[in-house]
Amino acid sequence: MGNRSRGAANTARGRRPLRVCKVCRTKFDNQVNPQQIVCSPKCGIAYVRQAKEKEWRKEKKRRLEKIKTRSEYLAETQKAFNAYIRFRDAGQGCISCGNKAAVQYHAGHYRTVKAVSALRFDEDNVHMQCSQCNCHDSGNICEYRIRLRRKIGDWRLERIENDRRTLNCTKEEVIEIRDFYRA
């Protein structure tokens, strides 16, 4: 026998190794029925019940996805976009005050979503900000502009400041943007 494990020895002699029940995780012998995946009828019933619940959860998720509104997709897209901005700017510190030791960072918009909705997902318009500047100092916009100008240049800053468009995306376009930033 030497190096071979007990399971290998059993297989060599024509016996199959013991299987582990998919429900209760106990070992059992499946000599009679090699396709058997549970140890008892009780575990079989539980296995079928679990499979049905899993299938129902998938179906429920699909149905909920189907009835989502555009605003719900916008919220998901904003969350994915903000996570991307924080990842992109990691280690650079706050765009407004330069703080690199903040407890929490946000994705702060230079031009607010309410002012110019078309810039909501514009990467030049959104940069990492500490929560102090973004929430309590109203974006600390004077310092934001000075550092933003250094970071992206005059021409791109002017483009942001002169933009007056509104965001007119369909539900499908919002989903596409969300999937792009999630990837």
Side-chain angles (χ1 to χ4, degrees):
M1 285 217 197
N3 298 1
R4 289 194 286 181
S5 68
R6 186 177 308 249
N10 286 341
T11 306
R13 283 188 266 152
R15 293 193 62 210
R16 289 184 184 85
L18 296 177
R19 291 204 57 175
V20 177
C21 178
K22 297 278 186 183
V23 177
C24 66
R25 312 302 294 167
T26 59
K27 290 186 177 187
F28 68 96
D29 188 11
N30 64 339
Q31 289 291 345
V32 177
N33 183 1
Q35 283 81 32
Q36 185 176 345
I37 58 173
V38 292
C39 63
S40 68
K42 182 180 174 184
C43 286
I45 292 169
Y47 182 75
V48 170
R49 190 173 292 137
Q50 288 173 357
K52 284 182 180 180
E53 285 174 13
K54 186 176 180 181
E55 187 61 37
W56 168 243
R57 283 193 299 273
K58 279 184 183 178
E59 178 66 17
K60 184 178 174 183
K61 185 176 181 180
R62 188 189 63 75
R63 286 181 185 186
L64 288 173
E65 189 74 21
K66 199 173 179 181
I67 62 169
K68 275 187 186 172
T69 64
R70 180 179 174 270
S71 61
E72 289 172 320
Y73 281 116
L74 268 175
E76 286 179 1
T77 305
Q78 189 69 57
K79 186 176 179 181
F81 178 73
N82 291 349
Y84 166 77
I85 294 297
R86 287 190 299 273
F87 176 76
R88 180 194 71 184
D89 294 349
Q92 295 179 17
C94 176
I95 187 83
S96 298
C97 67
N99 183 1
K100 290 186 178 182
V103 175
Q104 186 178 25
Y105 287 104
H106 297 176
H109 290 74
Y110 175 64
R111 299 280 309 273
T112 65
V113 174
K114 193 167 188 170
V116 185
S117 61
L119 295 176
R120 176 183 214 140
F121 303 118
D122 188 322
E123 293 179 21
D124 282 343
N125 185 48
V126 186
H127 300 274
M128 191 167 71
Q129 261 188 328
C130 65
S131 59
Q132 176 66 35
C133 289
N134 194 32
C135 297
H136 305 293
D137 298 340
S138 300
N140 196 359
I141 210 73
C142 294
E143 289 296 319
Y144 195 138
R145 187 179 192 286
I146 293 167
R147 293 174 187 205
L148 184 59
R149 185 177 184 192
R150 274 189 238 138
K151 187 174 181 178
I152 67 171
D154 289 331
W155 182 82
R156 287 162 62 189
L157 181 61
E158 264 185 53
R159 180 186 64 81
I160 291 170
E161 290 179 334
N162 294 328
D163 201 330
R164 302 279 183 260
R165 298 173 295 140
T166 57
L167 183 68
N168 293 321
C169 292
T170 64
K171 190 173 171 179
E172 289 74 25
E173 291 169 331
V174 172
I175 293 170
E176 191 177 312
I177 295 168
R178 178 199 66 188
D179 293 343
F180 174 79
Y181 283 108
R182 279 184 176 173

